[in-house]
């Protein structure tokens, strides 16, 4: 199999495969914060994120959300559809946390009346600046029709995942998604793991996500494994992955 490294991200690498329509995605043991300025190797992180993302994507796909995931290959490797990534990070917030709390001086943990969707321009050199829809469409990063689809899919994913996490005693505070163009459609790409969302335990209110690393609050892999165990109990048998 001829495999060339096409892209090396903070948490994953992407390789070409013999099939030009298919890429191989490998989850790495690297953790970053402050947009990559702080970097650490954490043994086992790639595997646990792979397992969590695999379950969530399989679940979403069962619920009718098209994703880029084709097949899981090994403990850290997935085959995915080759998409053209829309260079926007789509953040949805249910509860005040992170940059929203800091930027707007809002109390951490306050539930928002309606979910908020924010966009960031995926551009490391510019430090992923916040962008609004008129800016993003003016820059031709996305079309207005695509924006409508992204918003609808993001809200639908939120509804599905709030319910799923609620069933395993976890509040879904916020998350980040990425979408790609594939054969004229928009599909969910990238990953869904505690690296890209905030998950708070409903009983203890402790973080079960990357805030553990960002704020040195505990062992990242142990915490992520708690999420994986609860998810596996809930949907591990039904997702056929
Ligand atoms: N997020 C992400 N990648 C980024 C920035 C944010 O996955 O480059 C996720 C983050 O984990 C959180 C949500 O998006 O679940 C909102 O992040 P926020 O804007 O609060 O930024 P932070 O405080 O994490 O820097």
């Amino acid at each position: 199999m001829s495999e060339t490294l096409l892209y090396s991200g903070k948490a994953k690498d992407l390789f070409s495969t013999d099939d030009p329509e298919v890429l191989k995605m490998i989850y790495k043991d690297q953790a970053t914060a402050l947009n990559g300025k702080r970097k650490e190797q954490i043994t086992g992180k790639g595997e646990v994120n792979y397992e969590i993302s695999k379950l969530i994507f399989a679940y979403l796909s069962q619920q009718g959300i098209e994703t880029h995931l084709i097949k899981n290959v090994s403990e850290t490797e997935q085959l995915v559809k080759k998409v053209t990534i829309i260079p926007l990070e789509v953040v949805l917030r249910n509860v005040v946390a992170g940059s929203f709390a800091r930027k707007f001086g809002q109390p951490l943990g306050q539930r928002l009346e309606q979910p908020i969707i924010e966009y960031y321009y995926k551009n490391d050199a510019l430090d992923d600046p916040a962008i609004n829809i008129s800016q993003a469409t003016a820059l031709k990063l996305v079309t207005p029709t695509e924006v409508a689809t992204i918003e609808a899919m993001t809200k639908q994913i939120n509804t599905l995942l709030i319910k799923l996490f609620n069933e395993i005693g976890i509040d879904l505070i916020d998350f980040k998604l990425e979408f790609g163009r594939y054969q004229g459609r928009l599909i969910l790409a990238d990953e869904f793991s505690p690296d890209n969302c905030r998950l708070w335990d409903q009983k203890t209110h402790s973080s079960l996500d990357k805030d553990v690393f960002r704020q040195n609050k505990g062992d990242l892999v142990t915490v992520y494994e708690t999420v994986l165990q609860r998810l596996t109990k809930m949907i591990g048998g039904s997702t056929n992955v």
Side-chain angles (χ1 to χ4, degrees):
M1 204 188 220
S2 67
E3 288 180 2
T4 312
L5 179 65
L6 300 177
Y7 174 77
S8 185
K10 293 182 198 113
K12 296 183 297 298
D13 286 338
L14 268 180
F15 292 86
S16 62
T17 67
D18 288 339
D19 184 339
E21 296 295 308
V22 176
L23 300 181
K24 191 157 149 186
M25 194 159 93
I26 302 192
Y27 288 70
K28 301 198 281 197
D29 277 347
Q30 182 168 275
T32 62
L34 306 169
N35 213 15
K37 288 175 200 87
R38 180 178 155 216
K39 229 183 245 182
E40 264 175 51
Q41 283 300 114
I42 301 183
T43 307
K45 172 177 172 285
E47 191 172 337
V48 71
N49 269 354
Y50 160 87
E51 293 289 344
I52 292 171
S53 196
K54 163 180 125 173
L55 282 176
I56 301 268
F57 269 47
Y59 175 76
L60 289 174
S61 155
Q62 270 186 349
Q63 307 295 319
I65 302 285
E66 191 177 3
T67 82
H68 72 161
L69 178 60
I70 301 171
K71 190 170 141 195
N72 301 293
V73 189
S74 71
E75 290 88 56
T76 55
E77 300 179 350
Q78 299 179 321
L79 295 182
V80 298
K81 293 170 188 159
K82 184 174 180 185
V83 301
T84 309
I85 286 282
I86 307 249
L88 292 178
E89 298 197 334
V90 183
V91 169
L92 183 144
R93 301 179 189 276
N94 293 307
V95 173
V96 171
S99 68
F100 189 88
R102 290 193 296 274
K103 234 189 291 183
F104 301 114
Q106 293 297 301
L108 188 71
Q110 181 164 289
R111 190 158 289 280
L112 296 158
E113 267 177 40
Q114 297 290 330
I116 292 174
I117 298 184
E118 296 171 3
Y119 298 90
Y120 295 85
Y121 178 24
K122 262 173 74 70
N123 186 316
D124 282 340
L126 298 175
D127 250 357
D128 296 348
I131 190 166
N132 67 32
I133 291 308
S134 37
Q135 292 166 330
T137 49
L139 295 176
K140 304 218 179 308
L141 307 179
V142 69
T143 68
T145 315
E146 286 174 332
V147 171
T149 307
I150 286 174
E151 292 218 5
M153 282 178 80
T154 302
K155 285 182 185 162
Q156 199 187 345
I157 290 166
N158 185 44
T159 305
L160 290 166
L161 293 186
I162 285 179
K163 188 163 171 278
L164 174 65
F165 282 112
N166 199 34
E167 279 165 2
I168 55 171
I170 292 174
D171 272 336
L172 178 60
I173 305 302
D174 57 32
F175 58 85
K176 185 265 297 182
L177 302 177
E178 293 182 26
F179 292 87
R181 298 185 183 101
Y182 180 74
Q183 298 182 350
R185 304 188 296 279
L186 274 188
I187 67 176
L188 182 63
D190 195 48
E191 65 174 281
F192 194 103
S193 77
D195 269 8
N196 321 101
C197 64
R198 286 195 170 88
L199 303 171
W200 291 356
D201 187 282
Q202 287 174 347
K203 273 202 197 117
T204 65
H205 303 292
S206 60
S207 292
L208 303 173
D209 56 60
K210 203 163 110 177
D211 276 349
V212 164
F213 172 76
R214 291 187 189 99
Q215 300 164 13
N216 296 309
K217 286 199 288 198
D219 180 62
L220 178 144
V221 173
T222 308
V223 165
Y224 284 23
E225 267 165 4
T226 310
V227 176
L228 175 60
Q229 278 161 14
R230 293 196 209 174
L231 277 173
T232 305
K233 242 188 183 166
M234 192 70 210
I235 54 171
S238 65
T239 44
N240 288 327
V241 284

